[in-house]
Amino acid sequence: MRRSERKQEDPDLGVLSSRTLFSLQKELFTRLGEQGHPDLRPRHGAVLAYLDAEGSRATDLAAQSGQHKQVIGTLVDELVALGYVERQPDPADRRAKLIVPTEKGRDHMVRSDAILAEMEAEHAKAVGEEAYAEFKRVFRLVAERQTSARKPGAPA
């Protein structure tokens, strides 16, 4: 049996996760484009998905998204140019900068949250509320275990 056939018949966690992520991103960004945000791409989610309304430090965005700080810096530059975020001095540490959503960025955040809530509600309706809640609970545990296992010195 060829590897591609095996992965079709019994996909592993990586295959299932990537299929879900790519499909979710495609639908999310298509719908966002229809709602006035056509210039965003899935890569921008590494910033926008983790950005606090009050602003976030780039180092925190990097840690939460799992991206290198340099990647986050490039994405922030793109989002500044597109008008979604701006850099402001961090009131808690004048040497640091906060990445703060603009009005356009806040609109994106509200619309994105609403679209994702609709998508989740559709899945819950399709598989049953209890089954979906249990799926999310277990998937969260697996995701937490996987991400903590990648940290140096973490127990397996």
Side-chain angles (χ1 to χ4, degrees):
M1 178 182 302
R2 294 188 343 227
R3 181 173 173 80
S4 61
E5 291 172 355
R6 179 178 59 82
K7 294 296 180 177
Q8 292 297 322
E9 291 177 19
D10 186 21
D12 60 34
L13 180 61
V15 171
L16 291 171
S17 297
S18 66
R19 282 184 194 164
T20 303
L21 175 62
F22 296 141
S23 177
L24 181 139
Q25 286 177 330
K26 184 177 181 180
E27 182 176 349
L28 173 63
F29 284 90
T30 296
R31 290 173 66 176
L32 283 167
E34 293 165 354
Q35 294 183 27
H37 298 282
D39 43 3
L40 292 175
R41 300 293 173 258
R43 68 179 178 270
H44 296 126
V47 171
L48 295 172
Y50 301 96
L51 186 63
D52 289 333
E54 311 80 42
S56 302
R57 289 186 180 181
T59 52
D60 294 333
L61 295 170
Q64 291 172 326
S65 69
Q67 297 291 326
H68 292 294
K69 188 176 176 191
Q70 293 85 348
V71 172
I72 295 299
T74 299
L75 294 171
V76 169
D77 290 343
E78 290 176 12
L79 290 167
V80 167
L82 291 169
Y84 284 90
V85 301
E86 57 189 15
R87 289 181 173 95
Q88 296 180 357
D90 184 343
D93 181 354
R94 288 299 208 186
R95 297 169 297 170
K97 295 284 187 192
L98 285 179
I99 312 306
V100 181
T102 61
E103 184 177 331
K104 185 177 182 180
R106 287 187 300 276
D107 181 70
H108 162 271
M109 292 165 75
V110 167
R111 290 176 187 274
S112 179
D113 289 348
I115 291 167
L116 288 166
E118 288 174 17
M119 292 168 68
E120 287 203 45
E122 291 168 7
H123 290 305
K125 184 177 179 184
V127 302
E129 299 284 339
E130 279 188 42
Y132 190 72
E134 180 64 6
F135 161 75
K136 279 197 67 176
R137 185 188 74 75
V138 171
F139 195 69
R140 185 178 299 112
L141 290 173
V142 171
E144 288 169 0
R145 182 179 183 283
Q146 181 63 41
T147 54
S148 68
R150 291 179 39 192
K151 294 178 184 169

